Amino acid sequence: MTEHLIVTDEDATRVITMRRPEKKNALTQDMYRAMSDAIDTAQNNPNIRCLIITGGSGVFTAGNDLDDFLKAGTDTSGAARASNATKFLYSLAHNVKPIIAAVDGIAIGIGTTLLFHCDYVLASTTATFSTPFIQLGLVPEGASSLLAPRTMGHQRAFGMLVMGHKVSAEQAREAGFVNAVVAPGHTEEEARKAAREICTLPAEAVALSRKLLRPPPDEIVRRIDQESHLFGERMKSEEAVSAFTRFFQRKRG
């Protein structure tokens, strides 16, 4: 476990809370590993019927911690990325429990793409969704190139994933990857209500129905692997190196 992730079991629901407010919940390798463990250990636990992923009030996550991300990327074997960030994505792909996301504030990069693995998404009116992969010379990740077009259609997915258009909470609801928009500070409360509703339903029927609604895990994993391979290649590209250099110059400036 890590100090930046809080995992609590409340009745039949496991609540996974990203808690790194000073960095807008930017995800480190340790946080990825802890999130993956929280999901994996719920799979064969009959007492856990539902999962909630939240960042608390005011922010969901700013995506990858780029300093930590680039540090892991200097490992030529790619072991750190494969064993942490990608393992988290595998955990999402193989998860069989309903996942609810409570998004209050910004959801950048994987903060947006992980939502396509969720079954019910609540967003505050101040929530925004953005995937600036191409601006950094990279490609989409998290199987978003497979799941986003299925959810929101090719054209909307292209606008968000390729052109990098920021999406508001209401636009996300219209696009189909947010279920409901609520007042700021109320996403977790509404997520718990949705979890209680799910937990009252017959567990086996829920599991079977969820499986029917989603693409097979193997198909999702294949796309994760395909994206990860291209992502790794792009990290070494001239476009990406230049984009990251400009990003850190602006950050320091």
Side-chain angles (χ1 to χ4, degrees):
M1 201 52 64
T2 169
E3 61 180 312
H4 297 132
L5 196 80
I6 300 168
V7 180
T8 56
D9 292 344
E10 303 172 10
D11 298 322
T13 299
R14 175 160 293 177
V15 182
I16 301 168
T17 305
M18 296 171 281
R19 186 66 78 217
R20 197 184 178 210
E22 73 282 3
K23 293 290 186 178
K24 298 181 179 177
N25 292 339
L27 294 164
T28 64
Q29 296 297 312
D30 285 344
M31 290 171 74
Y32 277 126
R33 184 172 61 249
M35 291 174 76
S36 182
D37 289 345
I39 293 169
D40 291 347
T41 54
Q43 299 306 296
N44 295 317
N45 184 342
N47 296 318
I48 302 299
R49 295 279 310 278
C50 196
L51 304 171
I52 293 174
I53 298 178
T54 179
S57 294
V59 64
F60 189 59
T61 173
N64 280 306
D65 180 305
L66 289 181
D67 289 314
D68 184 80
F69 176 74
L70 291 175
K71 208 175 296 177
T74 60
D75 180 353
T76 55
S77 70
R81 179 169 173 77
S83 63
N84 293 304
T86 306
K87 185 177 184 297
F88 168 64
L89 296 174
Y90 288 166
S91 295
L92 287 174
H94 290 292
N95 167 64
V96 299
K97 305 289 176 90
I99 302 184
I100 299 168
V103 183
D104 191 357
I106 59 169
I108 299 174
I110 196 166
T112 291
T113 59
L114 75 81
L115 302 176
F116 293 99
H117 296 269
C118 297
D119 303 288
Y120 198 89
V121 179
L122 291 147
S124 72
T125 54
T126 57
T128 57
F129 308 86
S130 57
T131 54
F133 303 119
I134 280 64
Q135 285 84 344
L136 292 172
L138 304 172
V139 296
E141 41 79 323
S144 58
S145 63
L146 170 70
L147 301 176
R150 289 192 180 195
T151 301
M152 59 198 296
H154 171 82
Q155 289 79 9
R156 277 174 164 160
F158 187 90
M160 185 175 75
L161 292 175
V162 179
M163 298 176 74
H165 292 171
K166 186 181 289 187
V167 175
S168 69
E170 189 55 38
Q171 287 171 330
R173 190 192 64 77
E174 291 173 0
F177 68 92
V178 162
N179 291 79
V181 179
V182 302
H186 288 268
T187 55
E188 280 193 40
E189 176 188 346
E190 294 301 320
R192 284 173 168 81
K193 286 182 185 176
R196 287 194 293 271
E197 181 180 347
I198 292 169
C199 290
T200 63
L201 299 170
E204 289 182 17
V206 168
L208 288 169
S209 299
R210 182 182 185 276
K211 186 176 180 180
L212 289 169
L213 288 170
R214 300 191 62 78
D218 289 349
E219 183 182 359
I220 298 173
V221 167
R222 280 195 300 272
R223 185 58 62 92
I224 290 170
D225 289 343
Q226 183 182 7
E227 290 171 344
S228 293
H229 175 73
L230 292 170
F231 200 100
E233 287 187 340
R234 294 300 304 163
M235 283 290 292
K236 303 168 191 171
S237 71
E238 185 178 332
E239 287 181 336
V241 171
S242 297
F244 276 101
T245 300
R246 290 193 299 271
F247 175 84
F248 281 109
Q249 283 174 344
R250 288 196 303 271
K251 190 177 176 184
R252 293 187 187 100

